[in-house]
Amino acid sequence: ALAAAGALYGIAAQSGTGSDAFLVQPGAQDSVGGWGAVLGDEGGGYDLGVRTLKAAIYAFDGRGPRTALLDMVLEEWKLPHPWDMIEKLVGDSDYRRTIASATYLTARAAKQGDAVAISLYEGAAHELSHQVLTLIGRHGGNWQGPIVASGGTWKGCGHMFDTFRRDIQRVYPEAVVIRPFAEPVVGCAIRPRLEAGEDAGKLRDIVEERFSPFFLKVYKEVNR
């Protein structure tokens, strides 16, 4: 993930189905989070999916604000009534993946301006920034390299990254908080070339020109 952002060292804030934060420094590695769906993974796709379904339930019950997520979930899962969510998930051997897939609906609702969906992404960002700030605090506030927001959940809503970056830079104004320019798998090919001293900018241009399916277009939008 770090190499896919053009860095050998730094901090990776991972948010896929699960979540964790990794610090990689010369001669040192450390991490926070990664406790799995039952005990943790706050700010990851599964956690966001659970919060999405709860937001739909709260809207139905009247315990929470109205949101497009309720109708979206029922339509996507072809359920006649919100109570049918229970049977769908209890009888699902891979319920964790099913719940995490609800984040596609969260992303769609957020793009439509749904306030609840946007707040869910902002909440995920706060969870992840807390992991990173805790990790930095373990090391006396000292680290080198960028803080890289990597993983599929970040792709759902720009508010998530903006909130995360604000949280970090409120405490460490000098922190460089970025998105990677390529999918993490590309980092496997980039890292040896970075270690050999090749310029990160040139490697980024090569990926954009020759391996465009792996180039993250959002990189140029948010890394400004």
Side-chain angles (χ1 to χ4, degrees):
L2 290 173
L8 285 174
Y9 303 109
I11 297 172
Q14 293 285 138
S15 180
T17 302
S19 73
D20 32 27
F22 294 95
L23 176 141
V24 181
Q25 298 290 280
Q29 295 187 20
D30 199 359
S31 65
V32 165
W35 289 94
V38 175
L39 300 176
D41 280 351
E42 299 88 350
Y46 174 78
D47 179 62
L48 182 60
V50 170
R51 294 172 189 265
T52 294
L53 298 179
K54 285 187 174 182
I57 290 168
Y58 278 30
F60 173 73
D61 280 349
R63 286 185 283 165
R66 297 179 63 180
T67 172
L69 292 169
L70 176 58
D71 289 337
M72 284 183 172
V73 170
L74 296 179
E75 180 181 357
E76 180 70 18
W77 288 356
K78 298 178 173 57
L79 302 177
H81 195 277
W83 284 99
D84 295 319
M85 282 192 279
I86 299 174
E87 184 177 355
K88 178 177 177 62
L89 295 174
V90 169
D92 188 343
S93 61
D94 196 10
Y95 71 90
R96 186 168 178 261
R97 182 183 297 273
T98 301
I99 290 175
S101 71
T103 59
Y104 292 108
L105 304 179
T106 327
R108 191 194 311 166
K111 286 181 173 63
Q112 295 174 2
D114 186 271
V116 172
I118 291 171
S119 71
L120 291 175
Y121 274 106
E122 291 173 342
H126 292 319
E127 294 285 3
L128 292 159
S129 64
H130 184 48
Q131 289 186 8
V132 169
L133 291 172
T134 299
L135 188 57
I136 292 173
R138 281 186 185 174
H139 296 266
N142 299 309
W143 82 98
Q144 70 177 71
I147 298 172
V148 179
S150 177
T153 308
W154 295 101
K155 300 176 184 179
C157 177
H159 286 281
M160 181 175 174
F161 178 75
D162 292 340
T163 301
F164 174 78
R165 179 161 56 184
R166 282 195 300 270
D167 285 353
I168 299 297
Q169 293 181 339
R170 191 176 294 117
V171 182
Y172 297 100
E174 75 284 1
V176 176
V177 186
I178 60 175
R179 292 288 307 277
F181 59 77
E183 298 288 356
V185 66
V186 178
C188 298
I190 293 174
R191 184 173 176 83
R193 300 181 68 165
L194 289 172
E195 291 174 332
E198 293 193 46
D199 180 72
K202 290 182 179 179
L203 292 172
R204 181 185 64 235
D205 292 342
I206 290 172
V207 173
E208 183 177 13
E209 179 183 352
R210 303 183 189 176
F211 307 98
S212 58
F214 296 99
F215 188 82
L216 299 178
K217 294 179 175 58
V218 70
Y219 169 83
K220 291 186 175 181
E221 298 172 9
V222 302
N223 295 343
R224 57 184 183 271

